[in-house]
Amino acid sequence: MSNASPASASAAASAISAGHRKVLEWLESSDSKRMLIGGKWVDAVSGKTFETINPSTEERLAYVAEADSADVDAAVAAARRAFESASWSGISPHARTRYLLKIADAVESHADELAVLETLDNGMPLSFSAARVAQVAEIFRYYAGWPTKIYGTTNPTDSARFIYMLREPMGVCGLINAWNVPLVMAAMKIAPALACGNTAVLKPAEQTPLTTLRLAELIEEVGLPPGVLNIIPGFGATAGGALVAHPGVDKVAFTGSTAIGKQILQSSASNMKKVTLELGGKSPNIIFPDADLDKALATAVATFCGNSGQICSAGTRLFVQESLHDEATERIAQIAATYKVGSPFDADTKLGPLISARQMERVLSYVDAGKSGGARLSLGGDRVGNRGYFVEPTVFSSVSNDMKIAREEIFGPVLSIIPFKDEDDVVFKGNDTEYGLASAVWTSDIARAHRVARSLKAGRVWINTYAEGDPVMSMGGYKQSGFGRELGSESIDAYTQTKSVYMRL
Ligand code: NAI
Ligand code: MG
């Protein structure tokens, strides 16, 4: 590489897509990326910036304005003004529909750019980010249909009275996201919040602020009134903390770790904010011997390796019946060994890097815990290379449900294969966790499929598949995976409140 000729350098440059070239121009177009407050792109009051890096190369991508409490104050004030202005609260639901449809179109017409930027900032394979961008457009389009359908009710009563229920927006929503699927999370919060007539202040994760900022630029271009959407990049303890504690915020929607979720619940109590929490998981993926094993095992690998395991609903506890344990382990390891770890821009890459050095160290420490805890390491367990935060697909077998690697969310490409005796045993073990985000059951016995689906204590159950989604279907947690739901009609519930009106005639 070091003695590459100018000719081969330009050949390499021409190999990047038009979208990629636009992203590089966008990154170079300013000294630092600013925050969006009240329809204006501004620096932090403190003038501070922070770096966001490319986790594949460990190189800086951009400096980004770093919000703190003064910026949060300004953003919340702007969101309040927008919420109360006739240009937002006074418009018809049809107009909100048109805004959301235009946002979906803008996302689609910039899909290549957004996918490349997501891959640069987060490290996810380009095929994965492209699929996520398509999902983002679909989420905006799904919620675009809602404003004209958010009905109240007329309530049954006698002829002397008239009772009805209005469904109204919450007001100013504080939205806080994690770094693992930044654009999808932004869409999952912004789209229903705006569909219901709220205004929002969004803090993207400090590791991945760029696509949210670019999405906000696109949203600005559709002519949304100033202050309806504000973006304040920054850190959790400062910008995030100030947003959650702010007396001018009516609702908080948070995606991230269970530990921070608990803190958020406490600090939001100051003014009784309505809170929805989308937290961690340790989801059981249950394969019965009568399942389509080829499909079940291939999907089991895809789900624990997808986004390098940095997915809240990943199926990280794989339950197989005792008689199948050794065969399943061997086949899982064989399939996972074919998964290429490498540059997320290579078409055949299945696993890009983890998000950060800290996350990589955390994941590798769980590998040590698995080995010292008595599980059998059947594949992987090491870092790949010494530049970028790449970790091999890692499979532990003969895991018991009480081991640390079976109890804690690892958020990396690490699978625990746990044997079970029978249906009762696996339902008990599957539910024996403090989490309850997702789950799956694989079987050809239709009665068993639905019986187990009812028995599992999780916000999502897949039958004979994993990780497929649709904006019509909600997600969210039982137990310490949080509360409130995102997507589907339940997000409309989460971003509205009801008012009963009683009139004596
Ligand atoms: P985190 O929960 O600290 O961060 C998530 C978001 O919350 C970020 O935007 C962060 O800036 C913000 N935040 C942090 N502290 C805050 C506070 N006091 N007030 C308000 N906002 C705050 O997660 P982190 O440290 O990035 O990841 C640590 C672990 O959490 C991961 O290894 C993983 O196990 C888990 N995690 C789970 C996710 C999920 O979707 N289930 C997503 C991200 C992390
Ligand atoms: Mg980054």
Side-chain angles (χ1 to χ4, degrees):
M1 287 297 269
S2 55
N3 57 5
S5 66
S8 69
S10 75
S14 66
I16 71 171
S17 67
H20 202 141
R21 212 167 302 122
K22 276 193 198 149
V23 169
L24 298 180
E25 283 166 21
W26 182 79
L27 286 170
E28 283 164 14
S29 65
S30 54
D31 292 341
S32 67
K33 297 297 162 199
R34 296 168 147 191
M35 57 184 87
L36 177 63
I37 296 180
K40 296 200 169 64
W41 292 94
V42 296
D43 293 320
V45 170
S46 68
K48 279 204 218 164
T49 58
F50 65 100
E51 294 183 353
T52 183
I53 61 150
N54 176 343
S56 302
T57 61
E58 306 183 29
E59 286 163 0
R60 180 179 63 241
L61 287 166
Y63 289 103
V64 177
E66 182 186 331
D68 207 330
S69 57
D71 310 288
V72 172
D73 287 346
V76 172
R80 176 63 55 194
R81 277 195 302 277
F83 182 68
E84 273 152 21
S85 83
S87 67
W88 186 242
S89 66
I91 65 174
S92 83
H94 296 289
R96 290 207 300 275
T97 290
R98 284 194 294 273
Y99 281 127
L100 291 167
L101 288 174
K102 282 188 199 161
I103 295 170
D105 291 345
V107 167
E108 263 172 5
S109 58
H110 295 82
D112 293 349
E113 260 179 81
L114 288 168
V116 168
L117 188 59
E118 192 83 312
T119 288
L120 286 171
D121 208 8
N122 165 283
M124 60 176 70
L126 191 60
S127 56
F128 189 86
S129 57
R132 301 287 81 70
V133 173
Q135 212 180 337
V136 165
E138 206 166 63
I139 291 170
F140 276 104
R141 220 160 261 145
Y142 169 74
Y143 283 106
W146 269 102
T148 52
K149 286 128 198 133
I150 304 174
Y151 290 97
T153 57
T154 53
N155 304 9
T157 184
D158 54 53
S159 61
R161 302 174 300 161
F162 178 34
I163 303 177
Y164 62 96
M165 187 265 282
L166 296 171
R167 196 173 268 282
E168 300 185 337
M170 294 282 188
V172 175
C173 300
L175 312 175
I176 298 179
N177 276 336
W179 40 261
N180 53 329
V181 276
L183 266 180
V184 169
M185 283 180 196
M188 274 165 48
K189 293 184 170 61
I190 295 169
L194 301 194
C196 296
N198 300 281
T199 60
V201 179
L202 191 163
K203 193 198 86 61
E206 55 271 34
Q207 298 88 346
T208 54
L210 294 176
T211 46
T212 305
L213 291 170
R214 184 70 187 112
L215 174 67
E217 287 182 358
L218 299 176
I219 292 178
E220 284 294 287
E221 285 168 19
V222 312
L224 205 65
V228 169
L229 176 65
N230 307 274
I231 311 288
I232 48 149
F235 291 88
T238 49
L243 185 59
V244 175
H246 202 291
V249 172
D250 301 298
K251 183 213 160 71
V252 167
F254 170 81
T255 302
S257 62
T258 293
I260 299 295
K262 289 178 185 177
Q263 283 185 34
I264 284 182
L265 205 49
Q266 284 182 337
S267 54
S268 61
S270 57
N271 67 327
M272 211 58 83
K273 293 177 183 70
K274 311 299 179 284
V275 179
T276 46
L277 299 172
E278 192 72 46
L279 308 175
K282 194 74 192 174
S283 300
N285 182 14
I286 300 170
I287 304 180
F288 285 99
D290 63 355
D292 175 344
L293 280 187
D294 290 342
K295 194 162 166 244
L297 296 173
T299 307
V301 175
T303 162
F304 91 88
C305 290
N307 209 19
S308 290
Q310 302 167 116
I311 292 282
C312 51
S313 56
T316 51
R317 287 187 302 148
L318 180 67
F319 288 96
V320 294
Q321 204 159 42
E322 283 165 349
S323 60
L324 260 182
H325 174 271
D326 292 349
E327 185 200 337
T329 300
E330 195 177 316
R331 289 174 65 182
I332 290 273
Q334 267 168 13
I335 300 166
T338 67
Y339 271 40
K340 186 186 150 192
V341 183
S343 165
F345 287 102
D346 292 348
D348 55 350
T349 288
K350 294 272 180 110
L351 289 89
L354 299 178
I355 192 68
S356 62
R358 181 173 151 232
Q359 189 66 16
M360 180 178 71
E361 279 150 22
R362 192 183 136 94
V363 169
L364 294 174
S365 80
Y366 277 104
V367 174
D368 291 340
K371 289 185 207 162
S372 62
R376 176 149 37 106
L377 181 62
S378 300
L379 184 74
D382 289 316
R383 181 179 185 181
V384 178
N386 53 15
R387 192 165 184 75
Y389 313 119
F390 298 92
V391 172
E392 296 175 292
T394 298
V395 177
F396 281 104
S397 58
S398 301
V399 177
S400 73
N401 208 29
D402 54 3
M403 290 178 189
K404 186 178 165 87
I405 55 167
R407 303 212 72 80
E408 297 180 17
E409 183 177 52
I410 299 175
F411 233 57
V414 181
L415 182 69
S416 290
I417 303 181
I418 308 174
F420 69 85
K421 286 194 183 56
D422 55 22
E423 186 179 316
D424 285 347
D425 184 44
V426 77
V427 165
F428 176 82
K429 284 179 171 155
N431 286 333
D432 180 18
T433 165
E434 63 188 30
Y435 293 113
L437 196 59
S439 58
V441 50
W442 296 80
T443 177
S444 55
D445 177 339
I446 192 167
R448 171 148 70 190
H450 294 292
R451 202 163 54 228
V452 173
R454 285 187 188 201
S455 304
L456 290 171
K457 296 184 170 45
R460 268 190 176 185
V461 185
W462 284 285
I463 297 175
N464 294 337
T465 185
Y466 206 103
E468 291 187 70
D470 189 304
V472 305
M473 170 182 164
S474 73
M475 58 180 285
Y478 277 44
K479 298 190 269 184
Q480 292 192 40
S481 292
F483 50 74
R485 295 287 179 269
E486 290 195 309
L487 296 177
S489 63
E490 283 170 280
S491 252
I492 299 298
D493 298 337
Y495 285 96
T496 53
Q497 51 197 339
T498 58
K499 176 188 283 172
S500 291
V501 183
Y502 181 117
M503 185 183 186
R504 183 148 291 281
L505 298 175

